[in-house]
Amino acid sequence: MSATLIGQRLTRVDGRLKVMGQATYAAEFARPKLAYGVLVQSTIANGRVTKIDISTAKSAPGVIAILTRENAPQFKPYPDDLTKKGAPGEDRVPLQDAEIHYAGQHLGIVVAESFEQAVHATSLVRVTYQPQPPVVMLDDERVQKNAIWPERFIGRESLQVKRGDINAALATAAHKIDVVYSTPVENHNPIETYSTTAEWEAPDRLLIHEATRGIKQLQRIIANVFGLPRENVHIICPFIGGAFGSKGFQWSHTVLAAAAAKLVQRPVKLTFTRPQMFDSAGQRARTEQRFSIGADKNGKLMALRHATTTHCSPVSEYTEPCGNMSRMLYSCPNVEVSHRLVRLNLTTPCPMRAPGEAPGVFALESALDELANETGLDPVEFRLRNYADIDEYENRPWSSKKLRECYERGAKKFDWSKRTRKAGSLRGADGSQIGFGMATAIYPAGQQKAGATAILNKDGTVTVRSATHEIGTGTYTAMSQFAADTLGIPIEKIRFELGDSQFPEAPNNGGSWLTSSVAPAVMGACRELKKKVVDLGESWPNDPAQLANLLARSGQEQIQAEFISEPNKEEREKFSFFSYGAVFVEVHVDPLGQVRVKRVILILPNTTWRCTRTHRNLTSISSTS
Amino acid sequence: MNPFSYSRVADPGEAVHTLAGKPQGKFLGGGTNLIDLMKMGVETPNELVDINRLPLTQIEELPDKGVRIGALARNSDVAEHELIKTRYPVLSLALLSGASPQLRNMATVGGNLLQRTRCYYFYDPAFPACNKRKPGSGCGALDGYNRIHAILGQSDQCIATHPSDMCVALAALDAVVRVRGPKGEREISFGNFHRLPGNTPERDTNLAPDELIVSVDLPAISFAARSHYLKVRDRASYAFALVSVAAALDLDSNKVKAARVALGGVAHKPWRAHKVETEINGKSADENTFRAAAEAELAAAKGYKYNSFKIELAKRAIVCALSTVAAMA
Ligand SMILES: Cc1cc2nc3c(=O)[nH]c(=O)nc-3n(C[C@H](O)[C@H](O)[C@H](O)COP(=O)(O)OP(=O)(O)OC[C@H]3O[C@@H](n4cnc5c(N)ncnc54)[C@H](O)[C@@H]3O)c2cc1C
């Protein structure tokens, strides 16, 4: 493959559409006879609904119908693997019982001719409750005895890990610390709020325009709930206006919109208000992480205990996996990682901008700095002394690891060795305390199964399709690049299409695996296309203009090729795959407690950036002060 | 949002006449607070009278060298006006520290005076208890999450704070609010404009429901050119003050001849720090003087479960703001 485009400064292929306002987001699809839905939500956090009085709301101007438990159809359950076993998303279908689990829970949907009319009518719905005192704090005694010790993260990685003898190692450690870090609830707030427009094209065919990072998953879920064949549910989502972890899991709004559309026999659009982004579709859970860490007199880690307490809601057991990187980020013979979950009456937690790795590594790295300080070692030196040459949890080598080099480059660029070392000793002119810190960055380098088709069209252009997603990170451009490079034709001759459940399977957009999963499928489909042309007895032309002629000669309307790529199982079992980096910061805290980050340097291993413009945009923060 | 009627008026007389005797009606300024509250179901006016076309956008010098700011002047225009920037920098800074450029472009001076508290229990009608929203229903903040709440002048009926930055500067500057009602015009001194909660937390101000604010007048204060606004908040931008300080100093070499100090984020109204002003008068302008004065001002402060940090923060902010002004050329 001649890498002609990878690494170049390309402009986004969808850039013009976006700046012209012509990129169509989920809430912007005009549908004939569109009606507007607005959610009825619980104003208490725990208890039961005793009555929903819609008598006034029903006769408000413009109201077409109101769907509540009274007139809701019976929904079938969600697919087990997507909502049970700790999967993110709720395992309870809406409107089937009277229980209230958290404030903001959806109790119905009001459908009206205009959004404003629906909003007003919703305010006229009178709900009466039998309230129970809610439990909302992690340390509330009432929920401790029913705490859950989840076995696995979404049925995958173990959440309870023990290696060696942690207690013995702690007892004899020359240096040790015992610290607790807590992180708050964090909400996803992309510019585009959730939006779904549901439309029954036939009594058993549903068309949904939705802002989702899980097109195929949503298709499965909705098909299950309404008892439809999967192919009868058509999901469309060409652009997503940001997500930060949202829009990828199962919440009740899509089901409610679809059920409302059935009730009124018209397309129904349901768009979240900004406040609903805080209670209607997930948030990162609060975490409390306790570390007991011990090192010998040379600063070698001997014991690492990372115990996380976090919460789930009564209708999900998703766990924020804070301790997973602590299993293997550093070399340490005695390790204990645990996760404990309490059920709180809070909006159902889900991942947010990287699941537990984010709060977990923040806490681990902070604790390590404290221990480095305790041992009197430089934090970089301390990390180097505990460098993990293999993955000690899986007991296998890394696929690649250039972390040492990241530390070195970062320290040099930051002038790390010239800093004032003693904590609390440096003050700025305004009385600020000045501190320097560094941390390791790590995230699993995942890959999933994905498919793509490549089609040679009459006009000599090539259309490539995959049911993947554009979240604003540049999927359209990146995949067009990969296709153009594989085919050896200009990027202008490629049309990459995504966001349609009728396209070949692609994974949810998440876990930083989109490019590593979908690019191999795109390149594979393009290679297959070339092969098909060669099989016709033609050679693949270097001149793109000849592609049209070639197709004409073949007498075919188009030539289509498909490819499904899968992670190399053997390699995945032989090696551990992670991405690494190193971060260095200078932070000032003034006498008023105001924290100002003056300098951040993030060092990532030297790699090929698929687009230097995107790379520059991503890394330009490194020089702000 | 409740249905309401809407009309637009062209002159102040017509505005007052339209709302006379209609306690359920409201004037509509930039709408940046009122419309929000209507969407939340906190405010439910049945009639809006749009005053955006009233010819009250002037920012002009008064014969006594003070400055008159029309009630419809936009926050951005006030902040960027030469007269304000040179004579009352504290006001310009206070305005620029508030909200976002888009909001400041819409927000009017009259509306800013009457913006309502950001107390969570007031802002969300799902909370049953709020004496300000529903007199007699109780105070949810008292035993609730009260991180942003008052430490001075509160009552057991209400511990909400006034959220405005602009008003903190106006309190320090001894501004006068000129209003017009069905019975004619009157003037309200700034200290008498906003109220402490007492037993009537539902009343934020001493303005009658049918009165229109026409202008805010700033008296001539020669030393107001030497002034500063310090705002401490959770984010560096686009956040309300946890504590703020407006300060102006008249110095004779290093002696304080006169001072104007007001605090934001600490009380139900912009808090004029009279104790600080008298404490530092005649003393040398240094950190010890400022700290002692801050201690005196906050001596009566009372914190709650989540906001006690504000007491020490307010003291340090006073010292910091006064030191900044003292160091000005
Ligand atoms: C996201 C956000 C962040 C913000 N951050 C800050 C901040 O950091 N600091 C800060 O100080 N403020 C902040 N604000 C508040 C902002 O300053 C106010 O919303 C604004 O000043 C209100 O002015 P307005 O003209 O839009 O008032 P409106 O919303 O139009 O009116 C507010 C009230 O004043 C009444 N009213 C308006 N004009 C008159 C008049 N001439 N006579 C009598 N009554 C009148 C109305 O009837 C209404 O009751 C923020 C607001 C938002 C939405």
Side-chain angles (χ1 to χ4, degrees):
Chain A
M1 185 182 104
S2 59
T4 48
L5 288 170
I6 305 300
Q8 283 191 18
R9 284 192 59 178
L10 292 173
T11 43
R12 292 279 179 102
V13 296
D14 52 346
R16 189 180 159 81
L17 281 182
K18 285 194 172 175
V19 296
M20 301 287 283
Q22 289 163 355
T24 322
Y25 290 84
E28 300 175 324
F29 287 88
R31 308 306 304 166
K33 292 187 68 196
L34 184 63
Y36 297 81
V38 167
L39 295 166
V40 179
Q41 295 180 272
S42 167
T43 57
I44 67 163
N46 191 17
R48 287 177 64 82
V49 174
T50 50
K51 185 164 184 250
I52 301 184
D53 175 5
I54 58 166
S55 52
T56 323
K58 190 168 70 183
S59 46
V63 172
I64 306 166
I66 300 176
L67 179 73
T68 68
R69 189 162 76 90
E70 302 279 297
N71 57 345
Q74 204 181 358
F75 300 126
K76 301 205 170 56
Y78 296 133
D80 272 9
D81 61 322
L82 293 180
T83 50
K84 297 217 164 59
K85 290 195 221 147
E90 300 187 340
D91 64 18
R92 170 185 175 273
V93 281
L95 308 192
Q96 309 293 301
D97 61 58
E99 306 299 316
I100 305 259
H101 303 291
Y102 55 82
Q105 184 179 310
H106 303 163
L107 303 179
I109 175 170
V110 174
V111 184
E113 296 292 344
S114 77
F115 173 70
E116 290 75 11
Q117 288 170 328
V119 169
H120 175 57
T122 305
S123 75
L124 301 175
V125 174
R126 293 282 163 264
V127 185
T128 25
Y129 306 96
Q130 198 177 68
Q132 293 285 325
V135 185
V136 296
M137 303 300 273
L138 277 182
D139 58 2
D140 193 307
E141 276 177 19
R142 287 170 289 178
V143 287
Q144 303 307 319
K145 64 174 188 301
N146 294 327
I148 305 161
W149 297 82
E151 241 170 75
R152 293 187 175 275
F153 175 60
I154 321 185
R156 306 196 308 249
E157 298 91 340
S158 173
L159 289 169
Q160 317 292 345
V161 169
K162 271 194 182 138
R163 181 159 87 232
D165 184 343
I166 183 105
N167 289 326
L170 277 172
T172 55
H175 304 281
K176 59 189 151 191
I177 54 158
D178 204 342
V179 285
V180 179
Y181 292 94
S182 54
T183 62
V185 162
E186 290 173 334
N187 293 283
H188 322 99
N189 264 303
I191 292 180
E192 179 198 38
T193 61
Y194 278 80
S195 184
T196 185
T197 302
E199 177 174 356
W200 292 86
E201 296 177 307
D204 64 346
R205 292 182 61 85
L206 187 54
L207 172 65
I208 294 178
H209 289 86
E210 162 131 355
T212 175
R213 300 184 283 127
I215 288 171
K216 290 284 188 175
Q217 173 181 302
L218 186 62
Q219 181 191 36
R220 244 185 91 198
I221 288 169
I222 297 302
N224 250 61
V225 169
F226 289 94
L228 300 170
R230 212 181 287 181
E231 58 280 7
N232 284 19
V233 178
H234 188 182
I235 315 275
I236 294 179
C237 179
F239 292 99
I240 302 169
F244 308 129
S246 65
K247 302 176 183 168
F249 316 107
Q250 181 42 43
W251 313 108
S252 61
H253 62 283
T254 320
V255 175
L256 292 177
K262 184 135 232 179
L263 184 67
V264 302
Q265 294 290 308
R266 287 167 62 171
V268 169
K269 175 154 84 179
L270 170 58
T271 300
F272 280 11
T273 60
R274 186 58 63 184
Q276 285 166 349
M277 293 301 286
F278 291 80
D279 61 23
S280 288
Q283 55 184 201
R284 191 204 297 283
R286 199 178 292 152
T287 76
E288 198 174 279
Q289 304 173 53
R290 173 176 285 271
F291 289 88
S292 305
I293 319 184
D296 70 12
K297 62 181 191 318
N298 299 319
K300 173 77 195 72
L301 278 177
M302 296 312 293
L304 170 57
R305 175 185 283 140
H306 184 172
T308 299
T309 297
T310 178
H311 56 98
C312 61
S313 81
V315 292
S316 164
E317 281 181 18
Y318 171 76
T319 311
E320 190 71 352
C322 294
N324 282 2
M325 299 300 106
S326 298
R327 300 180 307 198
M328 35 49 76
L329 181 47
Y330 297 101
S331 168
C332 182
N334 305 291
V335 173
E336 187 182 298
V337 168
S338 65
H339 294 82
R340 188 170 152 272
L341 262 184
V342 294
R343 284 198 197 275
L344 300 183
N345 297 112
L346 292 176
T347 288
T348 300
C350 74
M352 194 251 180
R353 205 69 198 264
E357 288 86 357
V361 175
F362 148 73
L364 170 66
E365 291 299 296
S366 305
L368 273 195
D369 264 14
E370 295 202 42
L371 185 57
N373 192 46
E374 193 71 30
T375 59
L377 284 173
D378 180 300
V380 176
E381 174 59 26
F382 185 67
R383 285 170 175 81
L384 287 172
R385 288 193 191 184
N386 294 292
Y387 200 81
D389 289 312
I390 61 159
D391 177 341
E392 292 181 4
Y393 171 63
E394 298 283 3
N395 199 16
R396 60 193 182 195
W398 308 110
S399 62
S400 77
K401 180 174 177 180
K402 295 178 182 158
L403 180 57
R404 208 184 293 271
E405 164 198 318
C406 294
Y407 292 145
E408 276 161 20
R409 276 172 45 221
K412 194 156 163 231
K413 195 157 183 182
F414 193 86
D415 264 341
W416 181 251
S417 61
K418 297 201 190 103
R419 80 196 191 285
T420 304
R421 262 186 67 176
K422 195 169 151 21
S425 66
L426 191 61
R427 287 199 184 247
D430 64 348
S432 287
Q433 301 202 41
I434 301 177
F436 306 92
M438 57 82 54
T440 307
I442 178 171
Y443 196 73
Q447 188 189 346
Q448 305 281 322
K449 183 175 168 182
T453 46
I455 304 159
L456 175 58
N457 302 309
K458 264 188 178 158
D459 61 359
T461 60
V462 174
T463 304
V464 183
R465 294 183 174 137
S466 177
T468 184
H469 314 85
E470 173 61 87
I471 206 168
T473 44
T475 311
Y476 280 109
T477 308
M479 296 308 147
S480 300
Q481 269 177 286
F482 285 113
D485 268 351
T486 310
L487 295 171
I489 61 175
I491 195 165
E492 295 74 34
K493 297 283 171 195
I494 305 286
R495 184 179 166 80
F496 182 72
E497 295 178 348
L498 53 70
D500 190 320
S501 60
Q502 293 177 344
F503 294 166
E505 182 99 23
N508 274 19
N509 175 357
S512 296
W513 61 49
L514 188 147
T515 306
S516 62
S517 305
V518 181
V522 165
M523 293 189 287
C526 291
R527 279 194 305 270
E528 292 300 314
L529 182 64
K530 267 174 140 175
K531 246 191 244 160
K532 280 204 170 172
V533 167
V534 175
D535 286 350
L536 289 174
E538 298 265 3
S539 63
W540 183 261
N542 291 328
D543 174 9
Q546 294 194 19
L547 280 172
N549 300 340
L550 185 153
L551 189 61
R553 275 201 301 281
S554 79
Q556 300 184 36
E557 279 290 296
Q558 55 173 46
I559 302 175
Q560 177 167 338
E562 274 172 46
F563 189 78
I564 294 173
S565 88
E566 285 189 69
N568 182 327
K569 221 170 152 229
E570 210 175 295
E571 270 190 8
R572 288 266 157 191
E573 274 163 16
K574 213 155 102 199
F575 300 104
S576 278
F577 289 74
F578 289 89
S579 314
Y580 288 97
V583 194
F584 293 79
V585 294
E586 175 182 336
V587 178
H588 294 206
V589 182
D590 77 7
L592 301 170
Q594 299 183 106
V595 179
R596 298 288 177 261
V597 179
K598 295 285 180 178
R599 226 160 28 119
V600 181
I601 287 181
L602 166 64
I603 303 291
L604 301 173
N606 283 317
T607 42
T608 310
W609 290 93
R610 60 173 201 253
C611 173
T612 53
R613 192 187 294 271
T614 300
H615 170 216
R616 204 193 46 189
N617 291 345
L618 285 173
T619 51
S620 56
I621 50 152
S622 66
S623 57
T624 52
S625 69
Chain B
M1 197 187 279
N2 267 352
F4 56 88
S5 70
Y6 169 92
S7 62
R8 196 149 59 197
V9 289
D11 71 74
E14 189 192 353
V16 171
H17 180 75
T18 311
L19 269 197
K22 293 179 186 161
Q24 299 277 28
K26 285 221 169 253
F27 296 121
L28 176 66
T32 61
N33 191 220
L34 181 55
I35 302 291
D36 256 13
L37 289 165
M38 288 167 69
K39 285 186 185 169
M40 295 297 294
V42 177
E43 300 265 23
T44 50
N46 59 6
E47 177 170 355
L48 286 190
V49 176
D50 185 342
I51 54 173
N52 280 280
R53 302 222 174 148
L54 298 189
L56 296 173
T57 57
Q58 78 278 26
I59 300 170
E60 63 195 12
E61 189 171 62
L62 293 168
D64 70 350
K65 299 282 175 210
V67 171
R68 170 162 296 166
I69 306 170
L72 268 301
R74 304 287 158 175
N75 285 187
S76 331
D77 294 333
V78 180
E80 298 299 346
H81 199 278
E82 259 331 287
L83 279 173
I84 306 298
K85 284 205 297 196
T86 53
R87 296 192 194 170
Y88 310 99
V90 63
L91 177 56
S92 180
L93 290 172
L95 282 163
L96 291 176
S97 75
S100 65
Q102 294 90 332
L103 284 159
R104 296 195 294 267
N105 287 342
M106 285 304 290
T108 65
V109 165
N112 195 322
L113 285 173
L114 296 182
Q115 63 171 298
R116 309 213 64 190
T117 183
R118 295 280 158 168
C119 171
Y120 333 110
Y121 300 90
F122 169 76
Y123 226 93
D124 185 350
F127 290 115
C130 174
N131 286 324
K132 187 180 276 300
R133 185 163 34 79
K134 227 174 9 165
S137 60
C139 173
L142 219 45
D143 295 317
Y145 187 62
N146 42 34
R147 183 163 183 276
I148 63 169
H149 291 76
I151 52 171
L152 287 167
Q154 68 275 39
S155 71
D156 56 7
Q157 301 282 308
C158 179
I159 59 170
T161 55
H162 195 263
S164 168
D165 291 301
M166 178 188 82
C167 290
V168 182
L170 294 180
L173 293 172
D174 269 332
V176 171
V177 185
R178 283 176 54 244
V179 308
R180 175 167 175 167
K183 289 191 221 108
E185 288 206 3
R186 65 179 181 125
E187 293 188 343
I188 309 175
S189 68
F190 209 79
N192 279 329
F193 188 80
H194 296 97
R195 297 162 57 94
L196 288 179
N199 289 323
T200 52
E202 69 277 13
R203 290 192 62 191
D204 291 353
T205 70
N206 287 318
L207 189 77
D210 55 3
E211 281 180 314
L212 173 78
I213 298 168
V214 285
S215 76
V216 171
D217 293 357
L218 302 174
I221 305 173
S222 59
F223 63 90
R226 185 181 199 149
S227 61
H228 185 60
Y229 187 72
L230 171 69
K231 179 173 178 179
V232 187
R233 42 184 155 172
D234 285 325
R235 284 190 297 267
S237 176
Y238 202 31
F240 287 92
L242 289 167
V243 166
S244 69
V245 183
L249 281 179
D250 191 7
L251 295 184
D252 185 1
S253 67
N254 197 35
K255 276 239 156 59
V256 178
K257 262 170 57 188
R260 298 293 176 77
V261 183
L263 308 179
V266 296
H268 193 261
K269 62 187 278 188
W271 188 263
R272 180 71 178 269
H274 289 294
K275 288 207 185 84
V276 172
E277 292 175 9
T278 30
E279 273 290 314
I280 65 175
N281 213 358
K283 301 207 177 116
S284 82
D286 59 38
E287 207 178 309
N288 290 339
T289 305
F290 299 153
R291 179 75 202 190
E295 294 287 350
E297 188 69 56
L298 275 300
K302 174 174 183 297
Y304 298 85
K305 184 164 179 195
Y306 296 99
N307 74 345
S308 293
F309 73 94
K310 279 190 178 184
I311 299 175
E312 175 60 23
L313 182 59
K315 292 176 190 171
R316 291 194 198 183
I318 291 170
V319 174
C320 188
L322 285 171
S323 304
T324 305
V325 180
M328 284 175 173

